[in-house]
Amino acid sequence: MCGIVGYTGPREAGPILMEGLRRLEYRGYDSAGIALVDDQGDLFVEKRAGKLSNLATAIAERTPHAAVGLAHTRWATHGRPSDVNAHPQVDCTGRITVIHNGIIENFQELRDGLEARGHRLLSETDTEAIAHLIEEAYDGDIAEAARKTLQQLEGAYALAVMHRDENDRLVGARKDVPLVVGLGEGESFLASDVAAILAHTRRVIFLEEGDVADLRPEGVTITDVQGRPVERVPETIEWTVEAAEKGGYDTFMLKEIHEQPLALRQSITGRITRAGRIEVPELEPVWGAVRTATRVELVACGTASYAAMIGAAAIQSVTGLPARVTVGSEFRYDPPPLDEHTLVIAVTQSGETADTIAPTRLARERGCPIIAVTNTVGSAITREADAVLFLQAGPEMAVAASKTFVTQVTTLVILAAGLAKLRGTLSSGDESQLVEALRALPAGAERALELNEHVAAGLARRYVNSRGFMFVGRGPTYPAALEGALKLKEISYVHAEGYPAGELKHGPISLLDAEYPLVAVATRSPTYDKLISNVMEGRARDARVIAVGTEGDDGLGRIADDVCWVPDTHELLSPVLSIIPLQLFAYHVALERGTDVDQPRNLAKSVTVE
Ligand code: AGP
């Protein structure tokens, strides 16, 4: 996720802002920029792709004296990482600067309108449109112009805005993306998270949905977008800088698990129209190829391959095309038949996994149309693909994937619907059902996260000394079982198997006893009854049963020793919710065992070697 820092007060803004950006480096970024209004009232803007040191070098020796400014680290979502796409973005008059975290859903419409009205937009970003809209709305009061502009924006944002002619003033606004105000002695701060400003103040206001903050050195006033004053009580932060980087959570993984509702919101943003239809404009370069495809091959590794299994099932069910997943390391040396009618979908959060890139390259050489699904703008996989769908999940720091799994599943289901629409195989009734489920997904994830205490205080302690765990599922719940087992073994170093439940009796059932529990992903599905029969076979061997079930399924409560209830959703999206208690289970078992959750032994976040 991008980082925001703002300052207004009596001190030199430049060093405070650069230090703030350094504190935000841990969030991941691909470019950085700074804007300062100097003592003469001139606007100084500098932006650089790459590391913060590039920006520091560019402004060394020439940072103007300034008492107000904004700075940003960007993690690209619209437009590749480059100097011009970095923030701050500036309006036509060169007076207004904007920095932004999040995604503006209707950015294309806004940009088109602005261009038609004579504005010249220089970058490929959604953010630049905001600067020009504020320019149109400006009538001597930057907060008022920002509020008018916010009413035209759809999507998610944390924004910071500054006008050259109001040189002690900053405006911040939030919708769905965090933004915090820092209150100092005769100075005020704005930041995407407290880590950036903790060295200067511990008195903060966490802005709430729809808040617009008007910052001056002597204090801050907060209104809603209509300009009506709202009361927000400042709080005092006790966190250390290290804890602040993790948003107050003990680890990045726990933070990222809790970021899943926001990540899902961002992933869905821009892919459902106001009229409730699924739209995947990113597919335009492969429209023709999608219509003539006869097969779909998905290629991925690890967690991404489990998400791809759900993607393959979704594609097969809504398009009728045969679709299957092969892990990259196997595909590479034993590829399936590939030609121009084989649509290849590469799924990789980092976009740099060697085992996924090599087979994609091979498929490309054989003439296959390629779609990449990745979290990382500018990554290697994007150069191999004809079309790219970004997860828009924000950077993931913990080695174990969490928010990128749920956004991969969601994006692949949306992609499946997009393919089916191009091929005319998605009925409008099925599309509406899917849209309804997608819209409810972030709130469902929030509810599933309420299980944290139950898992921490109950399940993890009760089962931590088990000899191993057998995770089972059937149909769409099977990949969730695989991912649940992978999470547990990755971070707790406890042995865990993921199996299709029907296979238990063909061998692995011999492992089960009172010390080897069965973890059943038993959410609602067409094969639910079959799965329950398999669970009963395990129980008959004394295995304790931990289940993930759909709220309201009383029968499951009578069969299992422990159940984590998650909200009902569309069958294809059920792993998005059922994985959450399993992530929490892996996490708390690992804590009980005292392992390094964020950096588990022997593992790397991005596996760029074969
Ligand atoms: C997930 O927890 C793992 N760290 C690992 O399986 C990962 O998903 C795999 O290496 C693929 O990475 P990618 O999505 O970046 O290609």
Side-chain angles (χ1 to χ4, degrees):
M1 215 83 70
C2 315
I4 288 176
V5 202
Y7 176 77
T8 175
R11 291 193 279 161
E12 282 292 349
I16 291 175
L17 296 176
M18 289 303 286
E19 175 55 23
L21 290 188
R22 260 174 229 118
R23 296 276 178 206
L24 296 180
E25 277 194 287
Y26 75 92
R27 293 163 68 100
Y29 65 100
D30 48 51
S31 48
I34 189 167
L36 297 161
V37 179
D38 71 17
D39 294 347
Q40 267 63 55
D42 288 331
L43 184 66
F44 170 88
V45 178
E46 197 60 74
K47 313 188 286 184
R48 283 289 184 272
K51 289 284 148 205
L52 197 50
S53 53
N54 297 352
L55 178 66
T57 309
I59 64 170
E61 319 281 324
R62 57 185 203 93
T63 313
H65 292 295
V68 62
L70 297 171
H72 191 258
T73 43
R74 175 174 187 251
W75 191 80
T77 58
H78 287 86
R80 77 216 133 78
S82 66
D83 292 356
V84 69
N85 286 337
H87 303 191
Q89 291 293 328
V90 183
D91 73 321
C92 294
T93 68
R95 290 182 161 86
I96 295 163
T97 48
V98 176
I99 59 181
H100 164 221
N101 291 0
I103 297 160
I104 302 304
E105 217 167 299
N106 57 337
F107 83 103
Q108 198 55 55
E109 193 181 315
L110 295 173
R111 284 182 65 110
D112 292 348
L114 284 161
E115 278 169 348
R117 297 194 293 279
H119 292 264
R120 234 183 111 231
L121 280 77
L122 305 175
S123 76
E124 302 161 279
T125 64
D126 48 349
T127 308
E128 190 180 0
I130 305 171
H132 293 267
L133 289 172
I134 295 177
E135 174 193 342
E136 288 188 342
Y138 188 72
D139 192 15
D141 181 340
I142 189 64
E144 185 51 27
R147 281 193 290 264
K148 281 189 190 146
T149 301
L150 294 174
Q151 294 170 38
Q152 302 174 59
L153 306 182
E154 287 167 22
Y157 53 76
L159 282 178
V161 183
M162 181 172 77
H163 194 293
R164 194 191 74 169
D165 300 342
E166 301 186 63
N167 65 359
D168 67 343
R169 196 175 185 193
L170 295 177
V171 178
R174 83 156 270 182
K175 180 169 170 272
D176 286 336
V177 179
L179 192 62
V180 61
V181 167
L183 305 168
E185 293 297 322
E187 55 187 2
S188 302
F189 303 82
L190 200 57
S192 48
D193 65 67
V194 284
I197 55 175
L198 218 49
H200 307 289
T201 182
R202 288 182 172 270
R203 275 190 79 224
V204 301
I205 297 171
F206 290 100
L207 295 180
E208 294 180 21
E209 288 311 292
D211 283 357
V212 181
D214 190 349
L215 287 82
R216 299 183 193 259
E218 59 276 15
V220 177
T221 50
I222 303 176
T223 66
D224 64 13
V225 276
Q226 262 79 41
R228 290 178 294 237
V230 292
E231 275 297 315
R232 299 284 175 243
V233 183
E235 36 190 304
T236 304
I237 294 291
E238 308 290 354
W239 304 336
T240 61
V241 170
E242 204 198 1
E245 287 181 348
K246 293 169 186 152
Y249 293 99
D250 291 338
T251 61
F252 282 115
M253 185 175 178
L254 194 59
K255 174 174 178 261
E256 284 153 11
I257 289 173
H258 281 85
E259 276 173 358
Q260 291 180 115
L262 173 61
L264 287 166
R265 244 173 234 124
Q266 294 195 163
S267 251
I268 295 163
T269 287
R271 291 175 177 146
I272 298 178
T273 65
R274 256 173 272 172
R277 302 286 102 187
I278 291 173
E279 212 172 61
V280 193
E282 299 94 323
L283 288 179
E284 196 176 333
V286 289
W287 278 357
V290 168
R291 291 195 177 104
T292 58
T294 53
R295 283 184 313 115
V296 183
E297 295 284 348
L298 292 98
V299 60
C301 302
T303 289
S305 74
Y306 304 146
M309 287 170 72
I310 301 156
I315 291 167
Q316 199 158 292
S317 93
V318 298
T319 65
L321 287 171
R324 68 171 167 181
V325 186
T326 311
V327 291
S329 50
E330 292 298 317
F331 190 114
R332 183 172 186 174
Y333 296 106
D334 188 13
L338 298 169
D339 61 24
E340 71 275 23
H341 299 300
T342 315
L343 185 61
V344 170
I345 302 176
V347 187
T348 161
Q349 88 78 24
S350 63
E352 301 290 349
T353 299
D355 282 337
T356 303
I357 290 169
T360 309
R361 211 165 270 153
L362 174 79
R364 191 181 172 76
E365 280 159 20
R366 305 242 173 123
C368 305
I370 313 274
I371 300 173
V373 175
T374 182
N375 199 30
T376 318
V377 175
S379 59
I381 200 73
T382 62
R383 293 189 286 279
E384 303 298 331
D386 301 296
V388 184
L389 272 74
F390 292 106
L391 303 180
Q392 302 178 167
E396 194 172 60
M397 313 302 285
V399 165
S402 56
K403 62 177 178 173
T404 54
F405 173 73
V406 298
T407 51
Q408 274 165 350
V409 172
T410 306
T411 307
L412 284 163
V413 170
I414 291 172
L415 169 59
L419 298 177
K421 287 184 79 169
L422 282 171
R423 295 175 63 87
T425 57
L426 188 66
S427 73
S428 93
D430 287 348
E431 185 179 1
S432 303
Q433 261 184 24
L434 212 45
V435 166
E436 199 186 319
L438 286 163
R439 283 183 168 152
L441 215 47
E446 262 154 29
R447 212 152 73 241
L449 285 168
E450 290 168 13
L451 289 162
N452 190 39
E453 271 315 298
H454 168 64
V455 175
L459 294 193
R461 284 192 201 139
R462 206 152 43 247
Y463 292 96
V464 64
N465 293 320
S466 303
R467 206 171 69 250
F469 293 85
M470 180 70 65
F471 286 68
V472 291
R474 286 187 83 134
T477 77
Y478 168 49
L482 289 170
E483 172 61 3
L486 178 66
K487 285 291 87 79
L488 187 61
K489 58 192 150 195
E490 269 187 305
I491 62 171
S492 74
Y493 318 150
V494 172
H495 182 68
E497 298 251 13
Y499 254 93
E503 278 289 295
L504 273 182
K505 57 187 176 295
H506 297 291
I509 199 166
S510 65
L511 287 166
L512 301 185
D513 59 28
E515 305 307 318
Y516 202 112
L518 200 54
V519 184
V521 187
T523 46
R524 188 178 60 78
S525 89
T527 44
Y528 173 84
D529 291 340
K530 304 280 174 203
L531 173 73
I532 294 300
S533 306
N534 302 138
V535 171
M536 296 308 283
E537 289 157 15
R539 271 201 81 91
R541 272 78 186 175
D542 293 334
R544 286 176 295 168
V545 176
I546 307 165
V548 180
T550 305
E551 285 172 355
D553 178 3
D554 300 335
L556 185 63
R558 289 191 286 275
I559 295 166
D561 295 272
D562 290 282
V563 189
C564 296
W565 301 111
V566 294
D568 195 14
T569 181
H570 193 289
E571 181 193 320
L572 289 170
L573 293 166
S574 69
V576 170
L577 302 184
S578 58
I579 197 59
I580 291 175
L582 300 182
Q583 293 166 342
L584 292 169
F585 183 63
Y587 181 81
H588 289 292
V589 169
L591 280 197
E592 291 289 326
R593 291 172 58 87
T595 58
D596 182 345
V597 173
D598 281 341
Q599 301 281 334
R601 67 186 183 199
N602 308 339
L603 294 178
K605 182 68 184 163
S606 174
V607 187
T608 53
V609 293
E610 192 180 353

